[in-house]
Amino acid sequence: MMSRLFIALGASVLMYASAAAETTPPAKPWMNTALTPDQRADLVVAELTLDEKIQLVHGIGWGPLKEGGPVPADNNGGAGEIVGIPRLGIPSVQQADSAVGVRMAALQGRYATLLPSVLGVAASWDPEGAHLYGDVIGREIRAQGYNQSIGGGTNLARDPRNGRLFEYAGEDPLLAGVMVGNLIRGVQSQHVMGDIKHYAFNDQETGRAVVDARIARKAARESDLLAFELAIRIGEPASVMCSYNKVNGDWSCENDWLMNRVLKGAWKFPGFVVSDWEGTHSTEKAVLAGLDVEMPGEDYLGAPLKGAVTAGRVPMQRLNDMVHRLLRSMFVTGVIDRPSVPRFVVDPFKGLADALHLAEESIVLLKNDGTLPLDAGALRSIAVIGAHADVGVLSGGGSAQVDAPGGNAIEPTVSTKWGHVVYFPSPPLRFIREHAANARVQFASGADVAAAAALAKSADVAVVFADQYMSESGDVPTLALPSRQDELIVAVAAANPKTVVVLITGNPVTMPWLGQVAGVFEAWYPGIGGGQAIANLLFGSVAPSGKLPITFARAEADLPHSRIFGLQPRPANDPLEGRWAEDPEKHATFPADYSEGVRFGYKWFDSESKEPLFAFGHGLTYSSFAFSELQVDQQAKSVTFTITNTGKRRATEIAQLYAALPPKCGEKFRRLAGFARVTLSAGEHQSVSIPIEPLTLAVFDEKKDRWTWPHGRYTLSVGGSSRDLPLQASAELY
Ligand code: BGC
């Protein structure tokens, strides 16, 4: 047996087995592309030694993520690596975090495009946009020499204070499933492997490594797992990442029900399950429950797995299956047939154009008293205030952090274990100035509230920016904007009634000043095209088209749980009070009792008859639309209706179809069952058909362990938001 040596960047040297007679390479029948990916994977598995098989089911350690650790010579600098088998032509798997763009690109002098938040692209309700989002990530992953993107966040927004919501696609299973599924398709269209995470119920960051999500199986299948089911069906990702938390008593990464029964059994997922980084807790239990690859290291699936296989505690057949799943995904996506050749340079201009387009589609106009769009020609002075809008826009942190070109646009003051709070150099101030060339546009930081109010008073219009940093490994205790920004907005609005607020946040926030301001945009974290996109929408060169993928509550008390499970309140004088702060991670296991089941977000507000601040699906534009002539096709299970642009300019409406199950089911809420993004010129009308996604009408029967469709009359409603549904019809669909 020969060994292949990897020279570590530090003093350490890693050795990996590679049973090879490199001088006489074997014929490689698995390179025959006429065979199916499964046949090709089987042929490779038959050639592998036990050591090689073990090598393919774990990573090499923390690699460049942690200083001082060993790094193989072929390492590409990403979050993970699985060492390949060169003698058989199987490349190493090089993984890069890439939730909203490729992470750590600057580490090796590379550039990556920062896209708007995933929550933002969900707000576009545009599956093509989601595909484009994935294209950008796949393109740049590939150009940078990686062959797997580990993004694809699909956890539902069960709690609007979750620190990672900007990486996820909102609160509805259909919307999240369709958007993430298309995003994954985009990634994999670039011949790299995609991933979907964090499977499952990693719905809060507080105590994420110990929290035990307790939920009934029916509710689980109809909520978070439905989002995964749809995204996996549409996106066919190479892998599924199991999460840190426990679900109903078992760690996700050794949860037989989640992995074997649901994912691989019911959904027939043919790819591999990879653990979140250090999310593996055992060898036999994990592997027999369905875990295929341990990341980032080999604590459980290295030597201990070899021992378990040799002793017969894990059948060789199971190890073969684990390896088969990895290889199959590599063949399906093309990473073996079309290996990525690092060019190290991506196309930043194409990236910017795509990021700008996606940001323009994602920003939601929440309120407008008629002040918007701003009339560039008529304005003589504009006050721009707050959130470092003079230099850039905020980005989200954690493993989703993308490096800012040229470095952080601000002198950072806050740092976490993930690094600093980073602003990207896309300054709204600059783009506002470009639009309003004849106006005096002045900036106030907002640190001095009185000075900001004085500037606002002297201007025709005030645009106040407010932001909130979020990152994985922590949540926020409240929905309030941090750092006295509410106070700033109140003071500015009191000084100038024509005050427009632009929120740059990862999550919904409360708006105690809503009644005093003229307009509000939610811009999420808008990415490298952010400043430009915001200005384009403010001045109306682009009409807003986004709609909320998540409910905005008036207060924490209106949520299913007024507090995040396990969150320790901070002392009142703590400077971090109310702000995102790293979870201390010193918890013993504690339960998160999801007794609300599927009733969170709009389903909660609807069934509890609570008024949200802004409803799921809400979003305004600079035109108006009318809906008419709803028809239901019982056979085809689709609806057809007419949308008319009744306003004065071309704009986009997102038509939403909601279904209520037959009354005997006792559900007191509707379910989103389909949607369509429609762009029309002033006065134009169009007949629109929306097919109903059958799973949105289904009920999961725990006893039969399968979906069932209740008989009876379903009520179908169509309109422009979950709370604005002018058309209704009912039909016996099953
Ligand atoms: C995150 C994952 C990420 C991994 C690797 C973990 O902390 O939960 O989403 O992919 O780190 O960076």
Side-chain angles (χ1 to χ4, degrees), residues 456-469:
K457 202 174 176 68
S458 72
D460 291 342
V461 166
V463 184
V464 196
F465 288 80
D467 64 8
Q468 178 176 38
Y469 176 75

Side-chain angles (χ1 to χ4, degrees), residues 76 94-105 110-119 121 128-153 166-168 179-197 335 340 343 345-348 350-355 358 399-402 527-528:
N76 201 47
Q94 303 283 355
Q95 301 167 318
D97 276 313
S98 34
V100 296
V102 184
R103 178 185 175 202
M104 300 202 310
R110 306 166 193 174
Y111 173 88
T113 298
L114 175 69
L115 295 162
S117 311
V118 178
L119 192 58
V121 78
E128 276 175 35
H131 196 293
L132 175 67
Y133 196 103
D135 288 348
V136 176
I137 290 174
R139 215 157 69 203
E140 298 194 357
I141 280 267
R142 189 173 165 82
Q144 295 179 6
Y146 297 105
N147 53 16
Q148 180 162 32
S149 153
I150 43 173
F166 72 97
E167 298 184 50
Y168 302 147
M179 298 307 282
V180 179
N182 278 281
L183 189 159
I184 293 167
R185 283 178 84 85
V187 168
Q188 297 193 161
S189 72
Q190 304 298 316
H191 304 293
V192 295
M193 292 192 284
D195 174 65
I196 187 169
K197 67 188 185 184
V335 306
S340 57
R343 288 183 286 117
V345 179
V346 303
D347 182 343
K350 195 162 162 43
L352 175 61
D354 291 340
L358 292 167
S399 60
Q401 182 70 63
V402 174
I528 189 63

Side-chain angles (χ1 to χ4, degrees), residues 62 65 78-80 96-99 103 150-151 164 167-168 195 197-198 202 205 208 241 244 275-278 398-400 417-418 472-473:
W62 280 97
L65 288 185
D97 276 313
S98 34
R103 178 185 175 202
I150 43 173
R164 295 190 93 162
E167 298 184 50
Y168 302 147
D195 174 65
K197 67 188 185 184
H198 306 87
N202 184 178
E205 290 298 289
R208 68 175 177 174
M241 185 189 291
Y244 285 129
S275 75
D276 200 343
W277 272 227
E278 288 193 347
S399 60
K417 81 168 184 206
W418 296 97
E472 79 177 79
S473 65

Side-chain angles (χ1 to χ4, degrees), residues 286-299:
V287 159
L288 296 177
L291 179 67
D292 299 305
V293 174
E294 174 186 2
M295 289 308 282
E298 53 183 308
D299 294 350

Side-chain angles (χ1 to χ4, degrees), residues 625-647:
F625 293 89
F627 290 81
S628 59
E629 297 167 75
L630 175 62
Q631 281 170 1
V632 182
D633 185 331
Q634 248 165 301
Q635 244 17 65
K637 301 202 176 19
S638 66
V639 299
T640 303
F641 54 92
T642 300
I643 305 187
T644 307
N645 183 339
T646 51

Side-chain angles (χ1 to χ4, degrees), residues 521-591:
F521 280 107
E522 174 55 77
W524 317 110
Y525 300 137
I528 189 63
Q532 201 171 346
I534 290 166
N536 288 349
L537 267 67
L538 275 170
F539 290 93
S541 55
V542 173
S545 61
K547 300 239 182 186
L548 291 180
I550 184 169
T551 304
F552 278 47
R554 288 174 189 269
E556 291 79 21
D558 287 342
L559 301 173
H561 306 282
S562 60
R563 282 191 37 205
I564 297 238
F565 297 101
L567 187 77
Q568 298 303 320
R570 289 179 173 270
N573 57 356
D574 185 323
L576 288 179
E577 202 220 344
R579 289 173 45 170
W580 179 89
E582 207 130 15
D583 181 56
E585 291 181 3
K586 287 188 190 127
H587 307 265
T589 290
F590 62 90

